[in-house]
């Protein structure tokens, strides 16, 4: 599957858990423009933004819904960003996450929760 462009937004929740939001974009330039605008909106609204990155990836996520975000069920993922390519692996619960948080430019790993579900290839068609 071809790589697309994904904006990864990581925020810290009140309980100390890292939350992820995923936004598909048409290209790197659109991602960077939207990241600047979204970052400003989130920060002005009091969100504890840890980082926003424009990455490549072949996975797709259900669209983020602001209306349902506070009551939507959360899904756990192990995220890996290797050389700018995002891979999300669903896990049963955050307690099952064995990834140690790392942050280097080329190799990043996170345990996160998200209200967005990973869309399977058959569901996307």
């Amino acid at each position: 599957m071809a790589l697309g462009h994904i904006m990864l937004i990581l925020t810290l929740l009140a309980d100390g858990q890292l939350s992820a939001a995923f936004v598909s974009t048409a290209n790197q330039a659109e991602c960077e423009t939207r990241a600047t605008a979204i970052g400003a909106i989130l920060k002005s609204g009091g969100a504890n933004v840890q980082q926003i990155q424009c990455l490549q990836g072949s996975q797709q996520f259900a669209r983020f819904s602001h209306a349902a975000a506070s009551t939507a069920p959360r899904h756990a993922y192990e995220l890996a960003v290797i050389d700018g390519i995002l891979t999300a692996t669903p896990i049963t619960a955050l307690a099952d996450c064995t990834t140690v948080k790392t942050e280097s430019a080329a190799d990043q790993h996170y345990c996160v929760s998200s209200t967005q579900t990973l869309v399977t290839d058959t569901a996307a068609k």
Side-chain angles (χ1 to χ4, degrees):
M1 180 176 225
L3 294 177
H5 297 273
I6 302 171
M7 181 189 321
L8 171 63
I9 305 165
L10 297 177
T11 56
L12 198 60
L13 300 175
D15 64 3
Q17 177 55 52
L18 202 55
S19 177
F22 309 93
V23 180
S24 295
T25 60
N27 54 50
Q28 186 71 17
E30 178 189 335
C31 184
E32 291 171 4
T33 300
R34 291 180 70 186
T36 300
I38 289 170
I41 292 167
L42 290 172
K43 289 174 185 172
S44 71
N48 189 344
V49 178
Q50 298 297 294
Q51 65 176 267
I52 299 177
Q53 297 185 69
C54 291
L55 303 164
Q56 291 186 304
S58 60
Q59 295 173 302
Q60 294 183 0
F61 296 85
R63 290 187 63 129
F64 181 82
S65 171
H66 293 281
S70 62
T71 59
R74 298 199 69 83
H75 308 278
Y77 298 101
E78 286 188 33
L79 300 184
V81 179
I82 310 294
D83 294 326
I85 299 174
L86 171 67
T87 303
T89 303
I91 55 178
T92 304
L94 285 173
D96 297 335
C97 188
T98 58
T99 297
V100 175
K101 180 181 173 186
T102 59
E103 293 184 44
S104 73
D107 188 10
Q108 304 168 51
H109 297 273
Y110 305 98
C111 297
V112 302
S113 67
S114 177
T115 59
Q116 292 171 265
T117 56
L118 194 56
V119 177
T120 62
D121 288 338
T122 56
K125 292 180 181 177

